[in-house]
Amino acid sequence: MIIIGAGLGGLALAHGLRERGVDVTVHERDARPGARPQGYRIQLDEPGLTALRQCLPAELFGLCLATAGAPPARVSVRNRHLEVLADRATGRTADPTAGFEAAGVGPRAFDRPTLRRIMLLGLGDRVHHGAQLASYRHEDDGRVTACFADGRTATGDLIVGADGVNSTVRRLLLPAARVEDAGLRLVYGRIPLDGRARAALPGWAFESIFTVVTDGPGKAHLGLGPVEFATRPDLAGRARTPALDLPPAHDYLACMVGAPADHPAMPAPADLRTLPPAALRELALRLLGDGWHEDVHRLLARWDTASLFPLRISTSAPVPPWEPGPVTLIGDAIHAMSPVLAMGANTAVRDAAELSRALADATGPGPGLARAVGVYESRMRDYAFPIVADSRRTGQQRVGQR
């Protein structure tokens, strides 16, 4: 099997297939892990945690949990004066027909780079970096060949596009599928919590797994999510037998300032992408303007300027059923969604578990493989696109998403 993309969904799928004895290679366009900013904090609720446990070897799943934080399992929404507008328990119940077993843990906050490094462990030379997919072709024997920009090729029974919002696989497989601009822009970064920093910050920022402070739809908003490691990653890795090599990482608050794309202070997308971190900080402060509670200004005063980067939020349109075959899609490559419900990573990892299970008994190219892919694609459309729609509705109500 050939997986295009070494994000969370692609790596979970690689492990899930290998656990079932399937030979798999992963091809990632980036030259190395961490070559470009992709975010800091990842939240996994029960569907994602259960799917991750189904995909990963037990040792790696244990290491993931050992390094995850467990903030209070609530999502809070406040206005700019910090008055509570909404406060609810988070977490979705797994679909009882899906065969998911309860993971036995509540929602967790992960450091995305640490989670990816853990998921790369055990895959070794099965992950190839610097491999930008250019095209694929169907072979006479029913297999499919991936053709990369540098001239390399790889042939297998199945190609899985796990290559994100700008998926090349999706463009080739489903050229009519649409990924739309959600009309939101974010400046994303971290507030370090080393030393006495945590004690100096307002307590309400740590009372929920995620907090949104909003000035109302169509205006600016602030998002905060604590990432406090149960065990520092390098120490957790060294405590394993045999020891596993993970770099150190330190606690932080993921902090983002967002606004609609048509906000008067928001630059055009091409200009936003070129802004250096200091200019992004100035932009975020302009977006918020005056009249916000002093706690918000205390938080932003501790924002790590060097950590800042811009994000454009996208969302996918529902895709009618297509004929299953030796090419398929998982994660943002097929169902990109805005982050307001924190379900993007959960759904991508669930895709990996669903596809791994569907492929377990399908060996070799032909009708059996196509049937297995079709089973996965049907299930995926049934659970993923309603979440995309829920994310859109919530984003429209809460932060002015299109």
Side-chain angles (χ1 to χ4, degrees), residues 108-386:
R108 291 292 186 266
F110 295 87
D111 175 55
R112 183 182 186 128
T114 296
L115 188 57
R116 283 193 72 196
R117 289 186 181 103
I118 292 172
M119 294 174 73
L120 283 165
L121 294 172
L123 294 178
D125 61 1
R126 310 312 291 169
V127 180
H128 305 280
H129 285 88
Q132 173 65 58
L133 183 73
S135 63
Y136 62 78
R137 65 174 181 265
H138 295 271
E139 305 294 353
D140 292 340
D141 62 0
R143 298 198 298 168
V144 64
T145 296
C147 305
F148 299 97
D150 60 4
R152 286 180 290 174
T153 62
T155 300
D157 298 334
L158 179 69
I159 289 177
V160 181
D163 47 345
V165 173
N166 299 312
S167 171
T168 300
V169 181
R170 182 190 66 245
R171 177 175 54 81
L172 296 170
L173 177 65
L174 301 172
R178 293 182 293 117
V179 175
E180 302 168 348
D181 184 351
L184 293 176
R185 307 290 184 266
L186 298 179
V187 178
Y188 192 9
R190 298 180 297 182
I191 299 172
L193 297 179
D194 49 346
R196 298 181 179 177
R198 192 189 194 285
L201 295 176
W204 58 264
F206 301 92
E207 291 174 356
S208 302
I209 196 166
F210 197 75
T211 300
V212 177
V213 185
T214 176
D215 201 17
K219 298 182 180 180
H221 66 276
L222 172 80
L224 297 167
V227 177
E228 298 181 279
F229 297 100
T231 306
R232 207 175 70 189
D234 56 322
L235 301 179
R238 289 206 296 267
R240 301 284 149 165
T241 304
L244 298 172
D245 184 23
L246 290 174
H250 301 280
D251 297 345
Y252 61 89
L253 267 176
C255 176
M256 59 209 74
V257 171
D262 58 3
H263 190 287
M266 186 66 70
D271 296 328
L272 181 63
R273 286 193 296 269
T274 65
L275 292 181
L280 289 171
R281 184 189 189 94
E282 293 175 4
L283 169 63
L285 296 176
R286 286 200 306 275
L287 290 169
L288 293 179
D290 299 324
W292 291 67
H293 194 281
E294 63 179 11
D295 279 1
V296 173
H297 297 288
R298 287 170 57 200
L299 286 159
L300 292 179
R302 293 181 175 271
W303 218 5
D304 177 12
T305 301
S307 73
L308 303 185
F309 67 94
L311 280 175
R312 186 188 97 156
I313 304 303
S314 300
T315 188
S316 57
V319 182
W322 60 91
E323 186 68 23
V327 181
T328 193
L329 299 157
I330 69 170
D332 284 351
I334 183 60
H335 49 64
M337 62 188 74
S338 64
V340 292
L341 294 181
M343 287 302 294
N346 280 281
T347 312
V349 179
R350 178 172 179 177
D351 291 348
E354 293 278 3
L355 183 54
S356 296
R357 186 163 50 249
L359 293 173
D361 298 322
T363 57
L369 179 67
R371 281 193 298 272
V373 170
V375 167
Y376 154 72
E377 291 174 345
S378 177
R379 289 192 57 79
M380 178 269 294
R381 284 189 292 265
D382 286 346
Y383 63 72
F385 284 109

